[in-house]
């Protein structure tokens, strides 16, 4: 199984602390040696860094831990290959443009019969079940919503997204991180946990590496930062586990909407 | 004006030498301080690194010069902003997926009346003339060729691409680097020069930095590596300047087809 890491914040925040722990699962404490990637939504833009090599030895991963990129939304993925060989084209996160926004997607799990999901606007570059499902999912959104819903009128879109996630969950395991630059969407099929940090900030201690951070030294009283991961990343905080079939819509570090489980 | 750098090779080749000279134009010897980016097509995949800061001071640019990424095709761009503010979303190269391939695009020049170019499949994320023109160009290709032409039957596609470039050139200055993972397309509106290196390899000396490389030490007799840039990057080799209106199609380091100038 792969590992997922996501962040939503109300101020540009670096994810170095969480990423440091997460990174160790890429060939360190975990068996996820088949590539990794991380994506950032920064002021008016998107970029990602992907490497088909184990994260623990990747010079690019070291750059990310040393060079704090501050973003409102981040998505990271460490891969343990099941469908599709180990190569760059199969390395998450995947991206496509829809409605003039960059959509970013990372998936944990494995699907059956995914080849039958019909494709139209978007086609996979690699050969994973994950990217195929992403291309299908985005096109299904686009067919029903040829243009982005007006701001504040996204409920129907989110309901449709939830229905599509449920459809994918019926094909196997489908834990999802998805973002469009404004919202982070997290959907749980089997395993996702989250934590929201806000004032008064305290100390956090990584589970996977010997590192403690005192968030009070790095934040202001107004900051709200939420982190979502396959497994809790810290050992001294209370993480909330998502329910199978649950979709959370995050904005500015807070849960804006919740759908399911049904 | 921005600066362009492209490479096509018949073996995975690192672009560190050329990029080192090119990099110096990003706030060093040149006035191009408004961001930079570089894209690589590696075995079965694509990745790019983009930074809205001057390349000469960018830790990510230093990573690229120190960590040799070997690719068949590379495209790099250093930006001097004219249309669109300095931010990540306006930083070249731009990418979109078409026919299950990642298309990468970088533009040097400035267009007039570009807002009137109609958009359909693809929409800009940022607000540059360059990205708008890219979205238009790719959709025009896709409308005429809903699927990729069969291998070896791409002449009609390339002719159409050349006609579209000519249309864009009529709107101003349009020097282009475009790639689809197999081919590198270079179109000259005002300024592009190229060089092909093959056995017997010799020494090359950068124009923009004190660096000399002896390619004979880094290559085999079968290697063919071509570099395309806004201005010649070395001072002791013969570069060929492209003609306005000329489109070259590169594959494996060699010119596969030539269109125009008309």
């Amino acid at each position: 199984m792969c590992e997922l890491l996501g962040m939503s914040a109300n101020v540009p925040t670096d994810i170095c602390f969480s990423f440091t722990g997460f990174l160790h699962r890429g060939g360190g404490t975990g068996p996820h040696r088949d590539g990794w990637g991380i994506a950032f939504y920064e002021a008016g833009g998107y970029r990602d860094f992907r490497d088909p090599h184990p994260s623990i030895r990747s010079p690019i991963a070291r750059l990310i831990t040393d060079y704090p990129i501050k973003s409102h939304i981040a998505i990271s993925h460490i891969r343990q290959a099941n469908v599709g060989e180990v190569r760059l084209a199969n390395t998450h996160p995947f991206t496509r443009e829809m409605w003039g926004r960059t959509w970013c997607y990372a998936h944990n799990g494995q699907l059956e019969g995914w080849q039958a999901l019909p494709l139209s606007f978007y086609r996979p570059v690699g050969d994973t079940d994950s990217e195929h499902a992403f291309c299908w999912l985005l096109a299904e959104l686009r067919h029903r919503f040829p243009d982005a819903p007006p701001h504040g009128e996204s409920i129907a879109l989110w309901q449709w997204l939830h229905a599509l996630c449920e459809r994918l969950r019926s094909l196997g395991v489908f834990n999802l991180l998805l973002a469009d630059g404004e919202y982070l969407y997290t959907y749980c099929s089997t395993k996702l946990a989250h934590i929201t940090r806000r004032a008064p900030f305290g100390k956090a201690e990584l589970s996977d590496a010997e590192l403690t951070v005192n968030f009070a030294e790095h934040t202001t009283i107004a900051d709200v930062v939420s982190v979502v991961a396959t497994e809790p990343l810290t050992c001294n905080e209370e993480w909330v586990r998502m329910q199978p079939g649950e979709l959370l819509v995050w904005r500015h570090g807070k849960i804006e909407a919740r759908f399911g489980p049904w």
Side-chain angles (χ1 to χ4, degrees), chain A:
Chain A
M1 290 284 270
C2 307
E3 295 259 348
L4 297 172
L5 169 65
M7 184 194 74
S8 166
N10 67 344
V11 287
T13 303
D14 81 64
I15 198 174
C16 291
F17 174 74
S18 297
F19 186 67
T20 300
F22 187 62
L23 190 61
H24 277 257
R25 298 186 182 171
T29 56
H32 317 288
R33 311 181 66 88
D34 300 331
W36 65 279
I38 187 165
F40 300 96
Y41 288 91
E42 300 164 67
Y46 169 90
R47 60 179 154 177
D48 60 43
F49 300 83
R50 290 177 301 116
D51 212 355
H53 309 296
S55 56
I56 196 81
R57 286 201 306 271
S58 163
I60 302 175
R62 277 200 302 276
L63 174 87
I64 301 301
T65 51
D66 294 345
Y67 178 50
I69 292 181
K70 288 178 185 273
S71 66
H72 278 94
I73 300 176
I75 286 182
S76 185
H77 180 276
I78 298 177
R79 183 164 183 238
Q80 184 183 15
N82 35 51
V83 177
E85 56 180 327
V86 177
R87 60 187 178 105
L88 191 56
N90 289 340
T91 305
H92 304 227
F94 301 106
T95 54
R96 293 292 186 281
E97 174 262 309
M98 179 167 73
W99 310 327
R101 301 178 197 166
T102 304
W103 289 71
C104 169
Y105 161 105
H107 164 225
N108 154 313
Q110 203 168 347
L111 305 175
E112 285 189 12
W114 51 274
Q115 297 90 340
L117 295 167
L119 300 174
S120 52
F121 289 117
Y122 305 100
R123 296 192 204 163
V125 176
D127 52 10
T128 60
D129 52 349
S130 301
E131 191 189 11
H132 189 109
F134 176 42
C135 290
W136 172 80
L137 179 74
L138 219 53
E140 291 293 312
L141 291 175
R142 189 167 170 167
H143 281 302
R144 185 163 295 196
F145 299 91
D147 292 294
H151 199 84
E153 297 175 29
S154 296
I155 299 287
L157 171 70
W158 298 339
Q159 281 173 332
W160 183 227
L161 173 62
H162 184 247
L164 296 170
C165 290
E166 292 282 88
R167 168 80 192 283
L168 289 168
R169 182 162 72 110
S170 75
L171 303 181
V173 174
F174 187 72
N175 298 299
L176 166 78
L177 301 183
L178 178 73
D180 63 4
E182 181 169 8
Y183 298 100
L184 171 70
Y185 306 93
T186 63
Y187 175 78
C188 176
S189 167
T190 54
K191 251 200 310 196
L192 268 182
H194 58 86
I195 190 166
T196 298
R197 299 185 181 117
R198 62 177 86 214
F201 288 94
K203 285 188 185 174
E205 202 174 309
L206 286 182
S207 309
D208 299 84
E210 283 189 32
L211 189 65
T212 301
V213 69
N214 184 355
F215 287 115
E217 294 169 5
H218 301 277
T219 49
T220 72
I221 197 165
D223 293 7
V224 181
V225 180
S226 291
V227 175
V228 184
T230 300
E231 288 288 347
L233 286 162
T234 56
C235 49
N236 67 328
E237 298 176 300
E238 289 287 328
W239 291 65
V240 180
R241 289 193 186 270
M242 288 182 65
Q243 299 301 310
E246 185 180 25
L247 172 72
L248 297 178
V249 181
W250 301 83
R251 183 165 176 271
H252 292 175
K254 294 174 196 159
I255 294 172
E256 177 116 351
R258 182 190 308 261
F259 301 87
W262 289 334

